[in-house]
């Protein structure tokens, strides 16, 4: 995650501002520019049949399964030459408690064209999972379009972590698995209640611009990204004849910001009002996580308290510690920070002492930070006596300090550890189970996309207005925001604050809900977190369908 900045600064983005922006997303600044992995044997035992439908340049009709043939120019351009132009369709079965679920997987590239010239600008890699309705009278199944964040993150995190039919098997309490990471059936797959379309934005996964240096940057901005991904949703619905299906968007981290923007974009440019939004560990308003602001330190305090309790540095359970910290953060802490006089620090000693008690840090460390403990200090100092550091993505994940003498950590131990985990797992899965044939690298987290992202220059990035517009124009829209309690990068209290300030008619506050579960930013790396996330998503979709 990457990035708060000074509020309402009219100056060009500073180095600090850029790092803050990157910090609120599924980060790429901490990772290699290209995360690729060789194919390895993946479990494809469920596959019952496989067919590949070649593109047909002479056909404008949809191919079986609902995909239009590609035009000849769709197969050209440097970085795309390694791609097999085929559309791979495979059939599988997922064992679930209620019985086996038969489904079809379609891996394909959708063309993204220049709006003015209609020339091919990029090819977007998507994986669709679809199942038949239980009975014809049920009508079309809902469809959910799924994104990750970054900017620069491919969809593999949500795909093989939370919602897809296969997931990476992490160790107890979300520990990183030994390589190569095994894939197992997902008992909590969202496919049980919705069709799924996983989408990799330009420059991530296998998605590429036709002319990288000339065309890709038009997609690497807040508005360009929202427009292009909204166009892919429109194109998918058109090619698959699914305009009558209830439609949902799901996004993790910056993906939550993305889908809030997309909801407004789809109404304005496509004429589509989605039925629901599922935001996983999102940042909706970057001002809410800017540690230089007055509110962000308060919003992060309960997550620090939960992590400290989980690690045994403070008494009580993580839930109890977080609840107590919430009461302090919303009262004495905020007023104490607002009234702090740096010339009379002794007057704030009670506030410093309570912050130290809540976080498990020495009171002198808190005093040195003037009561505003940055996450980098917390993750470095809490277990310094053990020679360990915490992950900012999950405050309960610990690792040896790779450089105790350095002023800051060179990388996040959990996030960086997930790169080979998901890269290798997806490369093997795409090849063995989905029938994807390409020698191109799968870019799980692209530092190039992240570094070249164009942020607004005059304001702090916020999707609150876009979310408010969508809620206003679509009376049936429901919004779910899901967080892990020990996520230190996008704390749950920030989303609660944003949700509480959305304007909704009396009696409709329930259209926006915020849930909190054990776990960190990627709460689905733990089985209980994945199950809780699936249950929340199922409840939102079911409620949306009941009120149509």
């Amino acid at each position: 995650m990457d990035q708060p900045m000074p509020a309402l600064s009219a100056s060009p983005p500073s180095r600090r501002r850029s790092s803050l922006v990157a910090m609120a997303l599924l980060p790429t600044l901490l990772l290699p520019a290209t995360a690729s992995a060789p194919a390895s044997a993946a479990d494809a035992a469920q596959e019952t049949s496989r067919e590949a439908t070649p593109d047909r340049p002479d056909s404008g009709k949809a191919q079986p399964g609902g995909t239009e043939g590609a035009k000849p120019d769709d197969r050209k351009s440097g970085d795309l030459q390694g791609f097999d132009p085929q559309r791979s369709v495979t059939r599988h079965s997922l064992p679930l408690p209620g019985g086996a679920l038969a489904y079809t997987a379609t891996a394909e590239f959708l063309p993204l064209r220049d709006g003015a010239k209609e020339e091919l600008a990029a090819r977007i890699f998507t994986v669709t999972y679809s199942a038949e309705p239980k009975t014809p009278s049920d009508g079309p199944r809902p469809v959910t379009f799924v994104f990750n964040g970054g900017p620069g993150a491919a969809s593999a995190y949500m795909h093989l972590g939370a919602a897809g039919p296969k997931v990476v098997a992490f160790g107890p309490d979300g520990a990183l698995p030994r390589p190569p990471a095994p894939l197992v059936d997902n008992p909590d797959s969202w496919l049980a209640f919705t069709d799924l379309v996983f989408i990799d934005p330009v420059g991530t996964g296998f998605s590429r611009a036709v002319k990288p240096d000339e065309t890709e940057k038009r997609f690497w901005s807040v508005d360009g990204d929202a427009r292009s991904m909204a166009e892919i949703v429109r194109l998918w619905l058109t090619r698959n004849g699914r305009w009558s299906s209830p439609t949902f968007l799901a996004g993790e981290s910056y993906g939550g910001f993305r889908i809030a923007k997309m909801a407004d974009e789809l109404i304005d440019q496509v004429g589509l009002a989605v039925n629901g939004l599922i935001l996983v560990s999102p940042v909706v308003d970057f001002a809410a996580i800017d540690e230089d602001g007055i509110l962000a330190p308060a919003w992060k305090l309960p997550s620090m308290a939960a992590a400290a309790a989980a690690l045994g540095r403070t008494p009580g359970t993580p839930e109890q510690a977080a609840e107590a910290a919430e009461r302090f953060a919303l009262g004495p802490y905020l007023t104490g920070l607002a009234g702090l006089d740096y010339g009379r620090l002794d007057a704030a000693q009670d506030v410093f002492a309570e912050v130290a008690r809540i976080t498990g840090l020495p009171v002198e460390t808190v005093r040195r930070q003037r009561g505003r403990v940055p996450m980098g200090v917390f993750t470095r100092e809490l277990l310094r006596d053990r020679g360990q550091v915490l992950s900012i993505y999950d405050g309960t994940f610990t690792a040896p300090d790779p450089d105790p003498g350095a002023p800051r950590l060179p990388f996040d131990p959990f996030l960086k550890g997930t790169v080979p985990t998901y890269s290798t797992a997806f490369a093997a899965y795409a090849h063995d189970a989905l029938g994807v044939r390409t020698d191109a690298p799968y870019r799980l987290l692209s530092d190039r996309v992240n570094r070249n992202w164009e942020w607004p220059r005059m304001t702090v990035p916020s999707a609150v207005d876009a979310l408010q517009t969508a809620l206003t124009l679509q009376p049936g829209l429901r919004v779910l925001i899901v967080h892990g309690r020990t996520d230190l990068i996008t704390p749950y209290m920030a989303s609660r604050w944003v949700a509480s300030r959305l304007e909704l008619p009396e009696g409709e506050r329930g259209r926006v809900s915020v849930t909190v579960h054990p776990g960190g930013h990627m709460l689905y790396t733990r089985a209980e977190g994945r199950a809780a996330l699936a249950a929340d998503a199922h409840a939102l979709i079911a409620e949306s369908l009941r009120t149509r």
Side-chain angles (χ1 to χ4, degrees):
M1 322 298 342
D2 314 319
Q3 137 198 19
M5 54 192 82
L8 302 178
S9 170
S11 60
S14 66
R15 179 181 304 174
R16 178 187 167 281
R17 174 179 173 183
S18 298
S19 66
L20 287 174
V21 175
M23 266 179 96
L25 331 169
L26 233 193
T28 52
L29 295 185
L30 302 175
L31 306 174
T34 300
S36 59
S40 64
D43 178 11
Q46 292 178 325
E47 185 175 351
T48 57
S49 67
R50 176 179 165 230
E51 60 187 46
T53 305
D55 290 340
R56 298 181 182 179
D58 59 342
S59 172
K61 298 181 180 180
Q63 302 297 336
T67 301
E68 184 178 321
K71 297 181 180 180
D73 63 352
D74 289 359
R75 304 183 186 184
K76 299 177 182 178
S77 84
D79 202 15
L80 296 177
Q81 290 180 357
F83 288 105
D84 187 326
Q86 292 183 337
R87 164 181 175 268
S88 178
V89 178
T90 54
R91 292 181 173 84
H92 311 258
S93 178
L94 175 65
L96 294 172
L101 176 67
Y103 65 93
T104 299
T106 304
E108 63 183 332
F109 294 89
L110 296 182
L112 193 57
R113 299 186 180 279
D114 184 288
K117 301 179 181 179
E118 285 299 310
E119 294 178 350
L120 183 70
R123 289 178 55 140
I124 304 301
F125 181 70
T126 67
V127 178
T128 298
Y129 297 103
S130 57
E132 294 297 323
K134 292 181 180 179
T135 65
S137 61
D138 289 338
R141 275 169 56 92
V143 57
T144 302
F145 297 89
V146 187
F147 303 86
N148 267 99
S155 61
Y157 280 97
M158 284 289 286
H159 191 161
L160 296 184
K166 293 280 190 178
V167 288
V168 171
F170 276 72
D173 297 324
L176 291 168
R178 293 183 178 182
L183 286 177
V184 297
D185 292 324
N186 183 7
D188 306 303
S189 176
W190 299 10
L191 187 57
F193 50 87
T194 177
D195 289 348
L196 296 164
V197 185
F198 294 93
I199 301 174
D200 293 339
V202 176
T204 73
F206 291 134
S207 298
R208 302 288 189 272
V210 172
K211 300 177 181 178
D213 293 332
E214 297 178 28
T215 60
E216 62 192 1
K217 289 185 180 180
R218 75 181 64 175
F219 305 114
W220 293 351
S221 67
V222 170
D223 292 336
D225 173 72
R227 281 193 299 269
S228 63
M229 293 302 97
E231 167 60 14
I232 290 299
V233 169
R234 183 204 67 79
L235 183 60
W236 189 96
L237 292 172
T238 298
R239 291 189 168 198
N240 289 276
R242 296 291 295 273
W243 284 96
S244 60
S245 294
T247 304
F248 299 83
L249 304 178
E252 179 186 6
S253 198
Y254 180 80
F257 184 97
R258 168 185 283 132
I259 66 171
K261 287 284 191 180
M262 285 178 61
D264 185 19
E265 187 74 24
L266 285 165
I267 289 173
D268 191 41
Q269 301 297 328
V270 178
L272 172 68
V274 298
N275 298 82
L277 302 176
I278 302 169
L279 289 70
V280 182
S281 306
V283 54
V284 182
D285 185 347
F286 281 91
I289 62 170
D290 182 355
E291 291 185 331
D292 274 358
I294 195 67
L295 296 177
W299 301 157
K300 295 186 177 186
L301 198 62
S303 294
M304 286 192 280
L311 294 171
R313 289 297 194 172
T314 58
T317 67
E319 294 85 350
Q320 293 167 340
E323 289 174 4
E326 288 174 23
R327 293 190 292 270
F328 173 71
L330 292 171
Y333 184 58
L334 277 176
T335 56
L337 288 183
L340 185 63
D341 183 343
Y342 284 12
R344 301 176 59 247
L345 290 180
D346 288 345
Q349 192 61 29
D350 288 348
V351 173
F352 296 161
E354 183 63 9
V355 172
R357 188 190 68 80
I358 285 173
T359 62
L361 294 172
V363 68
E364 184 52 40
T365 298
V366 176
R367 178 187 176 93
R368 190 164 54 247
Q369 298 297 328
R370 305 302 190 251
R372 307 162 65 94
V373 181
M375 284 303 177
V377 171
F378 178 74
T379 55
R380 194 70 180 275
E381 297 298 326
L382 186 67
L383 298 181
R384 181 177 283 276
D385 59 334
R386 300 182 192 173
Q388 292 183 311
V389 295
L390 315 182
S391 169
I392 202 169
Y393 294 94
D394 187 342
T396 66
F397 183 89
T398 64
D401 191 333
D403 190 356
R408 57 182 298 178
L409 282 175
F411 55 83
D412 184 273
F414 182 70
L415 178 68
K416 192 162 187 176
T418 65
V419 177
T421 298
Y422 282 105
S423 296
T424 303
F426 191 86
Y429 177 68
H431 181 276
D432 298 348
L434 300 180
V436 176
R437 300 292 182 263
T438 175
D439 57 7
Y442 185 82
R443 295 174 179 166
L444 179 70
L445 292 175
S446 172
D447 178 66
R448 185 165 178 263
V449 173
N450 193 279
R451 283 186 290 103
N452 287 283
W453 198 261
E454 183 179 341
W455 295 99
R457 292 181 176 273
M458 303 299 290
T459 61
V460 178
S462 175
V464 174
D465 287 348
L467 188 57
Q468 181 67 68
T469 298
L471 284 163
T472 301
L473 296 180
Q474 167 54 312
L477 177 66
R478 306 188 76 83
V479 178
L480 167 67
I481 304 175
V482 185
H483 279 278
R485 188 172 284 106
T486 52
D487 178 1
L488 304 180
I489 193 71
T490 56
Y492 69 89
M493 285 288 287
S495 288
R496 282 187 182 171
W497 179 71
V498 167
S500 70
R501 279 153 180 76
L502 292 169
E503 298 284 353
L504 289 169
E506 191 70 27
E508 293 190 19
R509 301 298 306 178
R511 289 171 56 197
V512 179
S513 61
V514 180
T515 62
V516 183
H517 303 289
H521 193 72
M522 292 160 265
L523 72 160
Y524 45 75
T525 59
R526 307 180 188 195
E528 64 270 28
R530 185 175 64 244
L533 173 58
D536 287 349
H538 190 190
L540 174 128
I541 291 177
E543 180 63 22
S544 179
L545 298 182
R546 278 195 297 269
T547 57
R548 287 184 72 202

